[in-house]
């Protein structure tokens, strides 16, 4: 790093170099850093700021460096402060004098902002694709189990029958909003900061638009001070990732509950379950549990960066180097979680018989029986009270609604007739024939819409 210590007589203390270096984690930025430098060098030559020969030497050198890092032969010198210096130092080794011209009309402040935006754009694209793949897996399971009913819960108490597909489609909606959030965050990430220099802009006749075009950016930043000190785009990704992980974590919780012996609504494929070191009977949903647990890290990274940013005066401050590890970890965690969830959901088996038994032993038809009385002329509040007493009685006799005799029903209301036995799980589902409801026709329609959304129909 000697070439940026012009004013100093001493080298940095070894511990200080270690403390301040971002190289152990920001090496990941190398493809973006090199792409940015190539575009910058070409523009400098087009504008006559450096010679075409120098630009050519720089571009050639940078391409070789990329190949070295790709292959793993590049030597990362720990005394270099960051990936930007590591690449520049190697370039000087390779092409000498010309390498020193690359940093004309540029600062590491706009350079790192560019690299992070390029990295974020790719992360957003991959995240959106991965969520879509996961949504397709949800739809396939929903489709394959179209007729399966399960108890729907509120307060984790059996509430009303719902189609299993309806329950999965609820998650489809959450993940669709996640896709939209990432897509929205892309609009603000897709801004090219080079030309902002250290903070005030640069004093050369550069062409920012052409650099933006070469690097595939939709627009250039409008204020140099903002461009070098804005990390909102990372916060937005981390916020969207936190919400998406929260959704995955809720689903994880359901899968954990559904695989329990007490519920037994689903069974995970063996490839997605783990055993216990002591209890041979165990088949544990560790993937779901770890996803639920890792959600904490993703939230933590959002909180960490919000805290880093909150007191920073304009423009660049070294604190901002702290944006990286958390961001990289969040991207890696979210992508990996989506990937394993896709496989786990795609391979799970639904146990329709267990779901049926759970429906029959709970009193999920209570609302429908109250509605039945309402249709016979009872006020809903009175009907609610009657059915409440009926449930209490049925529980005391250890009977389900269907095992109660008509005389038993009539003890609670003379309005009960033989047709009370028509109040079945199927009838209850079919009755919810409202847009967004769980009636089979509505769910089939919703499946069709969802398939169109992910481009499968
Ligand atoms: N490693 C630094 C970071 O990640 C790069 C920018 C350094 N700029 C500076 N003025 N020291 O933020």
């Amino acid at each position: 790093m000697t070439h940026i210590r012009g004013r100093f007589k001493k080298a940095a203390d070894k511990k200080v170099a270690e403390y301040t270096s971002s190289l152990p984690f920001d090496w990941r930025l190398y493809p973006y850093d090199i792409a940015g430098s190539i575009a910058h060098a070409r523009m400098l030559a087009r504008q006559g700021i450096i010679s075409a020969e120098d630009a050519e030497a720089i571009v050639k050198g940078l391409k070789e460096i990329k190949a070295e890092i790709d292959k793993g032969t590049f030597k990362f010198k720990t005394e270099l402060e960051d990936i930007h210096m590591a690449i520049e130092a190697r370039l000087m080794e390779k092409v000498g004098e010309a390498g020193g011209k690359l940093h004309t009309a540029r600062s590491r402040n706009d350079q790192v902002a560019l690299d992070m935006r390029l990295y974020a754009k790719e992360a957003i694209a991959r995240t959106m694709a991965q969520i879509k793949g996961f949504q397709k897996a949800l739809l396939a399971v929903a489709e394959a189990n179209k007729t399966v009913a399960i108890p729907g819960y509120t307060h984790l108490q059996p509430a009303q029958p719902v189609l299993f597909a309806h329950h999965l489609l609820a998650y489809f909606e959450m993940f669709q909003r996640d896709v939209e959030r990432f897509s929205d965050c892309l609009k603000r990430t897709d801004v090219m900061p080079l030309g902002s220099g250290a903070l005030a802009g640069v004093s050369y006749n550069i062409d920012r638009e052409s650099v933006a075009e070469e690097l595939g950016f939709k627009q250039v930043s409008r204020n140099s001070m903002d461009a070098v000190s804005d990390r909102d785009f990372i916060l937005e990704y981390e916020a969207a990732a936190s919400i998406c992980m929260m959704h995955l974590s809720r689903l994880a919780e359901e899968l954990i509950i559904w695989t329990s012996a007490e519920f037994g609504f689903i069974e995970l494929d063996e490839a997605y379950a783990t055993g216990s070191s002591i209890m041979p009977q165990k088949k544990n949903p560790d993937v779901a549990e770890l996803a639920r647990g890792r959600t904490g890290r993703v939230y933590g990274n959002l909180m960490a960066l919000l805290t880093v940013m909150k007191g920073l005066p304009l423009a660049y401050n070294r604190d901002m180097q702290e944006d990286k590890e958390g961001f990289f970890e969040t991207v890696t965690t979210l992508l990996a979680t989506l990937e394993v969830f896709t496989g786990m959901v795609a391979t799970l088996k639904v146990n329709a018989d267990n779901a049926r038994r759970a429906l029959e032993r709970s009193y999920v038809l209570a609302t429908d029986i109250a509605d039945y009385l309402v249709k016979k002329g009872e006020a809903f509040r009175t009907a609610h009270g009657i059915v409440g007493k009926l449930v209490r009685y049925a529980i005391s006799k250890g009977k389900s609604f269907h095992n109660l005799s008509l005389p038993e029903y009539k003890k609670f209301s003379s309005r009960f007739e033989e047709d009370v036995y028509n109040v079945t799980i199927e009838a209850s589902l079919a009755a919810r024939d409202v847009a967004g409801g769980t009636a089979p026709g509505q769910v089939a329609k919703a499946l069709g819409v969802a398939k169109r959304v992910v481009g499968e129909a």
Side-chain angles (χ1 to χ4, degrees), residues 4 20-23 25-26 29 81-85 107-113 116 198 228 231 316-324:
I4 63 162
T20 54
S21 174
S22 51
L23 199 49
F25 46 88
D26 73 5
L29 294 175
E81 203 173 286
D82 52 33
I83 186 64
H84 324 294
M85 299 317 307
S107 153
R108 269 186 303 159
N109 297 349
D110 56 357
Q111 186 178 358
V112 73
M116 291 300 276
V228 292
R231 295 294 181 272
Y316 179 82
N317 299 270
R318 191 65 181 273
D319 316 42
M320 289 159 70
Q321 177 168 298
E322 291 296 308
D323 61 356
K324 292 180 189 57

